[in-house]
Amino acid sequence: MLLALALDRTGSGLWASSSVLYFTFVTHLSAQQIGVLLGTAGVAGIAGSPLAGWLAGRFPVRPLLIGAHLLRLVTLSLMLVCTEFAALLPVVAVTYLGDRAAKMLEMLFATRAAGERRVAYQALSRSSANAGYAVGAGLAAIGLAVGTGGAYRVLILGDALSFVAAAALVWRAREPRAAGVEVARSHATAAADGAPATARPEPEAATGGETRSGDGHRPGAGKGAGDGTARGNGPADPAGGRAASPWRDRGYLRFVLLDIGMNLDDSVLSVGLPLWLVDRTSAPHALVPAFLIINTVLVVVLQLSVSRRAEGPRRATRAVLLYGVLMFVCCAVVAAATRGGAWVAGAALLVGALFATLAELMRSVSSWELAVLLAPPEARAAYLGVAGMSQSIQKSAGPPLLTGVVMAAGPAGWLVLGAVVAGLSVVQQSGCSRRLRLGAAPLPSTPSAAAPVADPSAVSSPVVAGRAKVSRMWGRPGR
C-alpha cells in the first residue's frame, strides 16, 4: 500500500510541475482560462472527501480506491485529446474530485489496516508520499527542459500510467475489516428478517468510542442515555434507529471548520513565501526552490520521529497548540524579512520555511489523529470524509486569503495571520480536550468500581469490563 501511495504521488509530482505549462503551450489556454479551470477544479475537489467517506461507510474501501485510480486514468487520457476550454473544464474538475476522493480512501484504508498504530502509519505514508512527489518533480524537470509539446504530453501520460500501477498494487493488498460496514450489514439483515438487530461490534480502545450494554444503553448512563437521541452537540445514537451523521454533529463540524485555519501552512509555504520573496524583498529568486527542498527533506527525515511524540489524544491535542506557536513564529519571521538586505531577507524566508515545515509536521500527525478519535466508530468513514474537506477548502481559500488580504496589508498582515492561527489553535485544543474528556479524574483500577449498568451480564467478561473503562475515560464522542 505504501508503494502504491508513492507511485500515486509520483504521478502527482508530474502533474503539479507540468499542468500549467501543458495548458499554456499545448492547449493554448489564456492565463484567465487556466485560473478559472483550476479554480473550478478546486471547488469540485472539495466534494471528493465527503463523497468518498459516504461510500466507504457502505462499501469496501479497496474497490472504491481502485475505482478512484481508474477514474483519474480515464480523465487524464481524455485530457490528452481535449484542447478546447469547454471540454477541459469538466474533465479537469472530475480529475480533482477523484484525486481528493483517492486521498481520503487511502487514509481510511490506512486507518483500518493500522489500527492503534495509525499515527506511525500516517508518518510512513507521508514520508512515502513526499519521496514519490520529489521523484515526480525531478522527472518532470527533464520533460520541462525539453520543452516540446510531445514532452508535455509524455508527462501527462506518465501521470495517467502511475494510476494504473497504483490500482494494481491496491488490488493485491488485503482489505482491512471495517466495523462500520459490518454494523450496517447486520442491521440491514436483521431488518429484512423482521428481527431486532444484534449488538454492534465494540469499538477499539482509545478511539473515542463508547461501550453499550446488551440493551443498547451506555454503562453508567443516566436518564436520557441510550434513548436514541443526541445529547449536546454530539451525533445521533444509531441504537435508536437514527444513524450518526457528521452533518448533524455540531461539535465535529466546529472541529472541521477550525481545522481549515490549521492547514494554512500549506498555502504559506507554496504561495505566500515565494510571492513575498519576489514582491517585497530583494532576495535572489533562486531561493524559491529551496523552500520545497527544505520541506521535502525535513518531512521525510523527521516525520516518523515526530509521530512517535504525538501518539494518543493528549499528545495530539498538545501538538495542536505547538502548531499555533510555530505558525506565529513563522509569520513573524516572514514579516521581518523586509527590514534587511537581500541576504538577510533570504535567510529570514528560509527560516520561515523551516518553521512552516515544522508546523506541517505537527499538523499532519494531530489533525488526522483527532479526526479519528472524535468520530464514532460506527460512522467513522462518513465523519472522516467530512474532516477531509478542511484541506480541500484551504487549498481553494488559502491562496486568495494570502494574496488579497495578508500580503496586501504588508508585514502587519503576516503578524495578524500568525496571531489568528495561534488563537485558533487554542480554541481547537480546548474543544478537542473537552470532547475527549481529557481533564477527567483518574479512574479506579478495579472493575467493581465501575458505574452500574442496565444489564450486569454485559460486563461479565474482563474484555467487556475493560472496554467499559475505556468508555468512561473518553466519554461519548458526540457530547
Short mmCIF file of all heavy atoms in Angstrom, two decimals, residues 203-271:
data_model
loop_
_atom_site.label_atom_id
_atom_site.label_comp_id
_atom_site.label_asym_id
_atom_site.label_seq_id
_atom_site.Cartn_x
_atom_site.Cartn_y
_atom_site.Cartn_z
N PRO A 203 -16.22 -0.82 19.85
CA PRO A 203 -15.14 -0.04 19.28
C PRO A 203 -13.83 -0.38 19.95
O PRO A 203 -13.79 -0.78 21.11
CB PRO A 203 -15.55 1.41 19.57
CG PRO A 203 -16.45 1.32 20.76
CD PRO A 203 -17.16 0.01 20.64
N GLU A 204 -12.73 -0.18 19.21
CA GLU A 204 -11.43 -0.47 19.78
C GLU A 204 -11.09 0.57 20.82
O GLU A 204 -11.62 1.65 20.86
CB GLU A 204 -10.37 -0.48 18.68
CG GLU A 204 -10.19 0.84 18.00
CD GLU A 204 -11.08 0.96 16.79
OE1 GLU A 204 -12.09 0.26 16.73
OE2 GLU A 204 -10.77 1.78 15.92
N ALA A 205 -10.14 0.25 21.67
CA ALA A 205 -9.76 1.14 22.74
C ALA A 205 -9.11 2.39 22.19
O ALA A 205 -8.47 2.40 21.17
CB ALA A 205 -8.79 0.43 23.69
N ALA A 206 -9.27 3.47 22.95
CA ALA A 206 -8.60 4.74 22.67
C ALA A 206 -8.94 5.33 21.32
O ALA A 206 -8.15 5.98 20.70
CB ALA A 206 -7.10 4.58 22.79
N THR A 207 -10.18 5.12 20.87
CA THR A 207 -10.60 5.74 19.61
C THR A 207 -11.70 6.75 19.83
O THR A 207 -12.25 7.28 18.89
CB THR A 207 -11.10 4.68 18.62
OG1 THR A 207 -12.21 4.00 19.21
CG2 THR A 207 -10.03 3.71 18.23
N GLY A 208 -12.02 7.00 21.07
CA GLY A 208 -13.10 7.94 21.30
C GLY A 208 -14.45 7.28 21.21
O GLY A 208 -15.46 7.94 21.19
N GLY A 209 -14.49 5.93 21.14
CA GLY A 209 -15.75 5.23 21.01
C GLY A 209 -16.41 5.04 22.35
O GLY A 209 -15.94 5.45 23.39
N GLU A 210 -17.55 4.35 22.38
CA GLU A 210 -18.28 4.13 23.61
C GLU A 210 -18.72 2.68 23.66
O GLU A 210 -18.80 2.00 22.64
CB GLU A 210 -19.49 5.06 23.70
CG GLU A 210 -20.48 4.85 22.57
CD GLU A 210 -21.66 5.77 22.70
OE1 GLU A 210 -22.57 5.43 23.48
OE2 GLU A 210 -21.69 6.80 22.06
N THR A 211 -19.01 2.22 24.87
CA THR A 211 -19.45 0.84 25.06
C THR A 211 -20.88 0.85 25.54
O THR A 211 -21.24 1.65 26.41
CB THR A 211 -18.56 0.14 26.11
OG1 THR A 211 -17.21 0.24 25.66
CG2 THR A 211 -18.95 -1.30 26.28
N ARG A 212 -21.69 -0.03 25.02
CA ARG A 212 -23.08 -0.15 25.45
C ARG A 212 -23.33 -1.53 26.04
O ARG A 212 -22.69 -2.50 25.67
CB ARG A 212 -24.04 0.11 24.27
CG ARG A 212 -24.18 1.57 23.90
CD ARG A 212 -25.18 1.72 22.77
NE ARG A 212 -25.54 3.10 22.54
CZ ARG A 212 -24.82 3.96 21.83
NH1 ARG A 212 -23.68 3.54 21.28
NH2 ARG A 212 -25.20 5.19 21.65
N SER A 213 -24.29 -1.58 26.92
CA SER A 213 -24.68 -2.87 27.46
C SER A 213 -25.58 -3.59 26.47
O SER A 213 -25.90 -3.08 25.42
CB SER A 213 -25.41 -2.64 28.80
OG SER A 213 -26.58 -1.88 28.58
N GLY A 214 -26.03 -4.75 26.83
CA GLY A 214 -26.79 -5.56 25.89
C GLY A 214 -28.08 -4.94 25.44
O GLY A 214 -28.60 -5.28 24.39
N ASP A 215 -28.65 -3.98 26.21
CA ASP A 215 -29.91 -3.38 25.80
C ASP A 215 -29.71 -2.08 25.05
O ASP A 215 -30.66 -1.36 24.80
CB ASP A 215 -30.82 -3.12 27.02
CG ASP A 215 -30.16 -2.18 28.01
OD1 ASP A 215 -28.99 -1.80 27.77
OD2 ASP A 215 -30.83 -1.80 28.99
N GLY A 216 -28.48 -1.77 24.66
CA GLY A 216 -28.24 -0.58 23.85
C GLY A 216 -27.93 0.65 24.66
O GLY A 216 -27.77 1.72 24.10
N HIS A 217 -27.87 0.56 26.02
CA HIS A 217 -27.59 1.72 26.86
C HIS A 217 -26.10 1.77 27.17
O HIS A 217 -25.43 0.76 27.26
CB HIS A 217 -28.37 1.67 28.17
CG HIS A 217 -29.82 1.93 27.98
ND1 HIS A 217 -30.64 1.10 27.27
CD2 HIS A 217 -30.59 2.97 28.40
CE1 HIS A 217 -31.88 1.58 27.28
NE2 HIS A 217 -31.87 2.72 27.95
N ARG A 218 -25.60 3.00 27.37
CA ARG A 218 -24.21 3.15 27.75
C ARG A 218 -24.06 2.79 29.21
O ARG A 218 -24.89 3.12 30.05
CB ARG A 218 -23.74 4.60 27.54
CG ARG A 218 -23.58 4.95 26.10
CD ARG A 218 -23.13 6.39 25.94
NE ARG A 218 -24.17 7.34 26.35
CZ ARG A 218 -24.07 8.15 27.39
NH1 ARG A 218 -23.01 8.13 28.14
NH2 ARG A 218 -25.06 8.98 27.67
N PRO A 219 -22.95 2.13 29.60
CA PRO A 219 -22.73 1.83 31.00
C PRO A 219 -22.67 3.10 31.82
O PRO A 219 -21.97 4.06 31.49
CB PRO A 219 -21.35 1.12 30.98
CG PRO A 219 -21.22 0.60 29.59
CD PRO A 219 -21.92 1.58 28.73
N GLY A 220 -23.41 3.11 32.91
CA GLY A 220 -23.38 4.26 33.80
C GLY A 220 -24.18 5.44 33.31
O GLY A 220 -24.13 6.51 33.90
N ALA A 221 -24.92 5.29 32.23
CA ALA A 221 -25.67 6.43 31.69
C ALA A 221 -26.90 6.67 32.53
O ALA A 221 -27.56 5.77 33.00
CB ALA A 221 -26.05 6.17 30.24
N GLY A 222 -27.21 7.91 32.71
CA GLY A 222 -28.40 8.26 33.46
C GLY A 222 -29.61 8.38 32.58
O GLY A 222 -29.68 7.86 31.48
N LYS A 223 -30.57 9.14 33.03
CA LYS A 223 -31.80 9.30 32.29
C LYS A 223 -31.53 9.99 30.97
O LYS A 223 -30.81 10.95 30.88
CB LYS A 223 -32.78 10.16 33.11
CG LYS A 223 -34.14 10.32 32.42
CD LYS A 223 -35.05 11.15 33.29
CE LYS A 223 -36.41 11.35 32.63
NZ LYS A 223 -37.33 12.14 33.43
N GLY A 224 -32.13 9.47 29.94
CA GLY A 224 -31.96 10.06 28.62
C GLY A 224 -30.88 9.42 27.81
O GLY A 224 -30.77 9.67 26.64
N ALA A 225 -30.03 8.59 28.42
CA ALA A 225 -28.98 7.93 27.65
C ALA A 225 -29.54 6.72 26.99
O ALA A 225 -30.37 6.01 27.50
CB ALA A 225 -27.83 7.57 28.58
N GLY A 226 -29.02 6.44 25.83
CA GLY A 226 -29.43 5.25 25.11
C GLY A 226 -30.85 5.29 24.59
O GLY A 226 -31.39 4.26 24.22
N ASP A 227 -31.48 6.45 24.59
CA ASP A 227 -32.86 6.52 24.13
C ASP A 227 -32.96 6.91 22.68
O ASP A 227 -34.04 7.20 22.19
CB ASP A 227 -33.66 7.51 25.00
CG ASP A 227 -33.07 8.90 24.97
OD1 ASP A 227 -32.03 9.09 24.33
OD2 ASP A 227 -33.66 9.80 25.59
N GLY A 228 -31.83 6.93 21.99
CA GLY A 228 -31.87 7.21 20.57
C GLY A 228 -31.80 8.68 20.25
O GLY A 228 -31.94 9.07 19.12
N THR A 229 -31.60 9.54 21.24
CA THR A 229 -31.50 10.97 21.00
C THR A 229 -30.08 11.41 21.18
O THR A 229 -29.33 10.86 21.97
CB THR A 229 -32.41 11.75 21.96
OG1 THR A 229 -32.00 11.46 23.29
CG2 THR A 229 -33.86 11.37 21.80
N ALA A 230 -29.72 12.44 20.46
CA ALA A 230 -28.38 13.00 20.60
C ALA A 230 -28.38 14.00 21.73
O ALA A 230 -29.31 14.75 21.94
CB ALA A 230 -27.97 13.69 19.29
N ARG A 231 -27.32 14.02 22.49
CA ARG A 231 -27.22 14.94 23.60
C ARG A 231 -26.14 15.95 23.30
O ARG A 231 -25.11 15.63 22.76
CB ARG A 231 -26.90 14.20 24.89
CG ARG A 231 -27.95 13.17 25.26
CD ARG A 231 -27.65 12.53 26.58
NE ARG A 231 -27.58 13.52 27.66
CZ ARG A 231 -27.27 13.22 28.90
NH1 ARG A 231 -26.97 11.97 29.22
NH2 ARG A 231 -27.22 14.14 29.82
N GLY A 232 -26.36 17.19 23.70
CA GLY A 232 -25.39 18.24 23.44
C GLY A 232 -25.22 18.45 21.95
O GLY A 232 -26.17 18.57 21.21
N ASN A 233 -23.95 18.51 21.54
CA ASN A 233 -23.64 18.73 20.14
C ASN A 233 -23.23 17.46 19.46
O ASN A 233 -22.61 17.46 18.42
CB ASN A 233 -22.52 19.77 20.01
CG ASN A 233 -22.95 21.13 20.50
OD1 ASN A 233 -24.13 21.41 20.54
ND2 ASN A 233 -22.00 21.97 20.86
N GLY A 234 -23.50 16.32 20.04
CA GLY A 234 -22.96 15.08 19.55
C GLY A 234 -23.78 14.46 18.45
O GLY A 234 -24.84 14.93 18.08
N PRO A 235 -23.29 13.32 17.91
CA PRO A 235 -24.01 12.63 16.87
C PRO A 235 -25.22 11.90 17.40
O PRO A 235 -25.29 11.59 18.58
CB PRO A 235 -22.95 11.64 16.34
CG PRO A 235 -22.08 11.40 17.51
CD PRO A 235 -22.04 12.66 18.28
N ALA A 236 -26.14 11.63 16.55
CA ALA A 236 -27.31 10.86 16.95
C ALA A 236 -26.91 9.45 17.27
O ALA A 236 -25.90 8.95 16.81
CB ALA A 236 -28.34 10.88 15.83
N ASP A 237 -27.71 8.78 18.06
CA ASP A 237 -27.42 7.43 18.51
C ASP A 237 -27.97 6.43 17.52
O ASP A 237 -29.19 6.32 17.36
CB ASP A 237 -28.05 7.22 19.89
CG ASP A 237 -27.62 5.91 20.52
OD1 ASP A 237 -26.95 5.12 19.82
OD2 ASP A 237 -27.95 5.69 21.70
N PRO A 238 -27.10 5.64 16.85
CA PRO A 238 -27.62 4.67 15.91
C PRO A 238 -28.47 3.61 16.56
O PRO A 238 -29.30 3.01 15.92
CB PRO A 238 -26.34 4.06 15.31
CG PRO A 238 -25.27 5.06 15.58
CD PRO A 238 -25.64 5.71 16.84
N ALA A 239 -28.30 3.37 17.87
CA ALA A 239 -29.09 2.34 18.54
C ALA A 239 -30.56 2.72 18.57
O ALA A 239 -31.42 1.88 18.71
CB ALA A 239 -28.57 2.12 19.97
N GLY A 240 -30.86 4.02 18.47
CA GLY A 240 -32.23 4.47 18.48
C GLY A 240 -32.84 4.50 17.10
O GLY A 240 -33.92 5.02 16.92
N GLY A 241 -32.13 4.00 16.10
CA GLY A 241 -32.66 3.95 14.77
C GLY A 241 -32.27 5.11 13.89
O GLY A 241 -32.64 5.16 12.73
N ARG A 242 -31.51 6.06 14.41
CA ARG A 242 -31.09 7.23 13.63
C ARG A 242 -29.58 7.18 13.50
O ARG A 242 -28.85 7.30 14.48
CB ARG A 242 -31.53 8.49 14.33
CG ARG A 242 -31.28 9.76 13.52
CD ARG A 242 -31.65 10.97 14.37
NE ARG A 242 -31.46 12.21 13.62
CZ ARG A 242 -31.51 13.41 14.18
NH1 ARG A 242 -31.73 13.52 15.47
NH2 ARG A 242 -31.33 14.49 13.44
N ALA A 243 -29.10 7.00 12.30
CA ALA A 243 -27.67 6.84 12.07
C ALA A 243 -26.93 8.12 12.42
O ALA A 243 -27.40 9.22 12.18
CB ALA A 243 -27.40 6.46 10.62
N ALA A 244 -25.76 7.96 13.04
CA ALA A 244 -24.92 9.10 13.36
C ALA A 244 -24.47 9.77 12.07
O ALA A 244 -24.01 9.13 11.14
CB ALA A 244 -23.72 8.65 14.18
N SER A 245 -24.63 11.08 12.01
CA SER A 245 -24.26 11.83 10.81
C SER A 245 -23.36 12.98 11.21
O SER A 245 -23.69 13.75 12.12
CB SER A 245 -25.50 12.37 10.10
OG SER A 245 -25.14 13.30 9.09
N PRO A 246 -22.23 13.16 10.53
CA PRO A 246 -21.37 14.31 10.85
C PRO A 246 -22.03 15.63 10.54
O PRO A 246 -21.69 16.65 11.15
CB PRO A 246 -20.14 14.08 9.94
CG PRO A 246 -20.64 13.20 8.83
CD PRO A 246 -21.69 12.33 9.44
N TRP A 247 -23.00 15.65 9.63
CA TRP A 247 -23.66 16.90 9.28
C TRP A 247 -24.62 17.36 10.38
O TRP A 247 -25.02 18.53 10.39
CB TRP A 247 -24.42 16.74 7.97
CG TRP A 247 -23.53 16.34 6.83
CD1 TRP A 247 -23.45 15.13 6.23
CD2 TRP A 247 -22.53 17.16 6.19
NE1 TRP A 247 -22.50 15.13 5.23
CE2 TRP A 247 -21.92 16.37 5.20
CE3 TRP A 247 -22.11 18.49 6.36
CZ2 TRP A 247 -20.90 16.86 4.38
CZ3 TRP A 247 -21.10 18.97 5.54
CH2 TRP A 247 -20.51 18.17 4.57
N ARG A 248 -25.00 16.47 11.30
CA ARG A 248 -25.83 16.86 12.44
C ARG A 248 -25.02 17.02 13.72
O ARG A 248 -25.58 17.36 14.77
CB ARG A 248 -26.93 15.81 12.68
CG ARG A 248 -27.96 15.73 11.57
CD ARG A 248 -29.16 14.90 11.99
NE ARG A 248 -28.80 13.51 12.24
CZ ARG A 248 -28.90 12.54 11.34
NH1 ARG A 248 -29.33 12.82 10.12
NH2 ARG A 248 -28.56 11.30 11.63
N ASP A 249 -23.72 16.76 13.64
CA ASP A 249 -22.85 16.82 14.81
C ASP A 249 -22.16 18.18 14.83
O ASP A 249 -21.12 18.38 14.21
CB ASP A 249 -21.82 15.68 14.72
CG ASP A 249 -20.99 15.56 16.00
OD1 ASP A 249 -21.02 16.50 16.81
OD2 ASP A 249 -20.32 14.53 16.16
N ARG A 250 -22.72 19.12 15.55
CA ARG A 250 -22.19 20.48 15.55
C ARG A 250 -20.78 20.54 16.12
O ARG A 250 -19.96 21.34 15.67
CB ARG A 250 -23.11 21.41 16.34
CG ARG A 250 -24.44 21.69 15.63
CD ARG A 250 -25.33 22.54 16.50
NE ARG A 250 -25.76 21.82 17.69
CZ ARG A 250 -26.42 22.37 18.71
NH1 ARG A 250 -26.72 23.65 18.68
NH2 ARG A 250 -26.79 21.64 19.74
N GLY A 251 -20.50 19.72 17.11
CA GLY A 251 -19.15 19.71 17.68
C GLY A 251 -18.11 19.27 16.67
O GLY A 251 -17.02 19.86 16.58
N TYR A 252 -18.42 18.25 15.89
CA TYR A 252 -17.47 17.78 14.89
C TYR A 252 -17.34 18.78 13.74
O TYR A 252 -16.23 19.01 13.23
CB TYR A 252 -17.91 16.41 14.35
CG TYR A 252 -16.79 15.63 13.69
CD1 TYR A 252 -15.92 14.88 14.46
CD2 TYR A 252 -16.60 15.67 12.32
CE1 TYR A 252 -14.89 14.16 13.87
CE2 TYR A 252 -15.57 14.96 11.72
CZ TYR A 252 -14.72 14.20 12.51
OH TYR A 252 -13.68 13.51 11.91
N LEU A 253 -18.44 19.37 13.34
CA LEU A 253 -18.38 20.39 12.30
C LEU A 253 -17.55 21.59 12.75
O LEU A 253 -16.84 22.21 11.95
CB LEU A 253 -19.79 20.84 11.92
CG LEU A 253 -20.64 19.80 11.17
CD1 LEU A 253 -22.03 20.35 10.91
CD2 LEU A 253 -19.98 19.39 9.85
N ARG A 254 -17.61 21.93 14.04
CA ARG A 254 -16.79 23.01 14.56
C ARG A 254 -15.31 22.63 14.47
O ARG A 254 -14.46 23.47 14.12
CB ARG A 254 -17.17 23.31 16.00
CG ARG A 254 -16.49 24.55 16.58
CD ARG A 254 -16.87 24.76 18.05
NE ARG A 254 -18.30 24.80 18.22
CZ ARG A 254 -19.00 23.91 18.90
NH1 ARG A 254 -18.40 22.88 19.47
NH2 ARG A 254 -20.30 24.03 19.02
N PHE A 255 -15.00 21.38 14.77
CA PHE A 255 -13.62 20.91 14.64
C PHE A 255 -13.14 21.03 13.19
O PHE A 255 -12.02 21.50 12.93
CB PHE A 255 -13.53 19.45 15.11
CG PHE A 255 -12.28 18.74 14.66
CD1 PHE A 255 -11.08 18.94 15.34
CD2 PHE A 255 -12.30 17.87 13.58
CE1 PHE A 255 -9.92 18.30 14.92
CE2 PHE A 255 -11.16 17.22 13.16
CZ PHE A 255 -9.96 17.44 13.84
N VAL A 256 -13.97 20.62 12.23
CA VAL A 256 -13.59 20.69 10.82
C VAL A 256 -13.42 22.14 10.39
O VAL A 256 -12.47 22.48 9.66
CB VAL A 256 -14.64 19.98 9.94
CG1 VAL A 256 -14.32 20.16 8.47
CG2 VAL A 256 -14.70 18.50 10.29
N LEU A 257 -14.31 23.03 10.83
CA LEU A 257 -14.21 24.44 10.47
C LEU A 257 -12.91 25.06 10.98
O LEU A 257 -12.21 25.77 10.24
CB LEU A 257 -15.42 25.19 11.03
CG LEU A 257 -15.47 26.70 10.75
CD1 LEU A 257 -15.58 26.95 9.25
CD2 LEU A 257 -16.64 27.34 11.49
N LEU A 258 -12.57 24.79 12.22
CA LEU A 258 -11.32 25.31 12.77
C LEU A 258 -10.11 24.68 12.09
O LEU A 258 -9.06 25.32 11.97
CB LEU A 258 -11.27 25.06 14.28
CG LEU A 258 -12.26 25.85 15.12
CD1 LEU A 258 -12.22 25.38 16.58
CD2 LEU A 258 -11.97 27.34 15.05
N ASP A 259 -10.25 23.44 11.65
CA ASP A 259 -9.14 22.75 11.02
C ASP A 259 -8.76 23.37 9.67
O ASP A 259 -7.65 23.18 9.19
CB ASP A 259 -9.48 21.26 10.83
CG ASP A 259 -8.23 20.41 10.64
OD1 ASP A 259 -7.26 20.60 11.39
OD2 ASP A 259 -8.23 19.56 9.72
N ILE A 260 -9.68 24.12 9.06
CA ILE A 260 -9.34 24.82 7.82
C ILE A 260 -8.20 25.79 8.09
O ILE A 260 -7.21 25.84 7.35
CB ILE A 260 -10.57 25.56 7.27
CG1 ILE A 260 -11.68 24.57 6.90
CG2 ILE A 260 -10.18 26.40 6.05
CD1 ILE A 260 -12.99 25.23 6.51
N GLY A 261 -8.32 26.58 9.16
CA GLY A 261 -7.26 27.50 9.52
C GLY A 261 -6.00 26.81 9.97
O GLY A 261 -4.90 27.38 9.88
N MET A 262 -6.14 25.56 10.45
CA MET A 262 -4.97 24.81 10.91
C MET A 262 -4.26 24.12 9.76
O MET A 262 -3.35 23.31 10.00
CB MET A 262 -5.42 23.77 11.94
CG MET A 262 -6.21 24.33 13.10
SD MET A 262 -5.27 25.46 14.14
CE MET A 262 -4.18 24.30 14.92
N ASN A 263 -4.66 24.40 8.53
CA ASN A 263 -3.97 23.86 7.36
C ASN A 263 -3.31 24.96 6.52
O ASN A 263 -2.81 24.69 5.43
CB ASN A 263 -4.95 23.10 6.47
CG ASN A 263 -5.22 21.69 6.96
OD1 ASN A 263 -4.55 20.74 6.59
ND2 ASN A 263 -6.20 21.54 7.82
N LEU A 264 -3.27 26.19 7.04
CA LEU A 264 -2.76 27.30 6.26
C LEU A 264 -1.26 27.23 6.01
O LEU A 264 -0.74 27.95 5.16
CB LEU A 264 -3.10 28.62 6.96
CG LEU A 264 -4.52 29.14 6.74
CD1 LEU A 264 -4.81 30.33 7.64
CD2 LEU A 264 -4.73 29.51 5.28
N ASP A 265 -0.55 26.37 6.73
CA ASP A 265 0.88 26.23 6.47
C ASP A 265 1.13 25.82 5.02
O ASP A 265 2.17 26.18 4.43
CB ASP A 265 1.49 25.19 7.41
CG ASP A 265 0.84 23.83 7.27
OD1 ASP A 265 -0.21 23.59 7.89
OD2 ASP A 265 1.36 22.99 6.51
N ASP A 266 0.20 25.09 4.43
CA ASP A 266 0.36 24.64 3.05
C ASP A 266 0.41 25.84 2.09
O ASP A 266 1.30 25.93 1.24
CB ASP A 266 -0.79 23.71 2.69
CG ASP A 266 -0.73 23.25 1.24
OD1 ASP A 266 0.19 22.50 0.88
OD2 ASP A 266 -1.62 23.66 0.45
N SER A 267 -0.54 26.75 2.23
CA SER A 267 -0.56 27.92 1.35
C SER A 267 0.57 28.89 1.67
O SER A 267 1.11 29.53 0.77
CB SER A 267 -1.91 28.65 1.49
OG SER A 267 -2.95 27.87 0.94
N VAL A 268 0.94 28.99 2.93
CA VAL A 268 2.06 29.86 3.29
C VAL A 268 3.34 29.39 2.61
O VAL A 268 4.10 30.19 2.04
CB VAL A 268 2.26 29.88 4.83
CG1 VAL A 268 3.58 30.52 5.20
CG2 VAL A 268 1.11 30.65 5.48
N LEU A 269 3.57 28.08 2.61
CA LEU A 269 4.80 27.55 2.04
C LEU A 269 4.80 27.60 0.52
O LEU A 269 5.81 27.96 -0.10
CB LEU A 269 5.00 26.11 2.51
CG LEU A 269 6.34 25.46 2.19
CD1 LEU A 269 7.47 26.15 2.94
CD2 LEU A 269 6.31 23.98 2.55
N SER A 270 3.68 27.27 -0.10
CA SER A 270 3.65 27.15 -1.56
C SER A 270 3.32 28.45 -2.28
O SER A 270 3.70 28.64 -3.44
CB SER A 270 2.63 26.08 -1.98
OG SER A 270 1.33 26.44 -1.55
N VAL A 271 2.61 29.37 -1.60
CA VAL A 271 2.18 30.61 -2.24
C VAL A 271 2.76 31.85 -1.54
O VAL A 271 3.36 32.72 -2.17
CB VAL A 271 0.64 30.71 -2.28
CG1 VAL A 271 0.19 32.04 -2.87
CG2 VAL A 271 0.05 29.55 -3.07
#
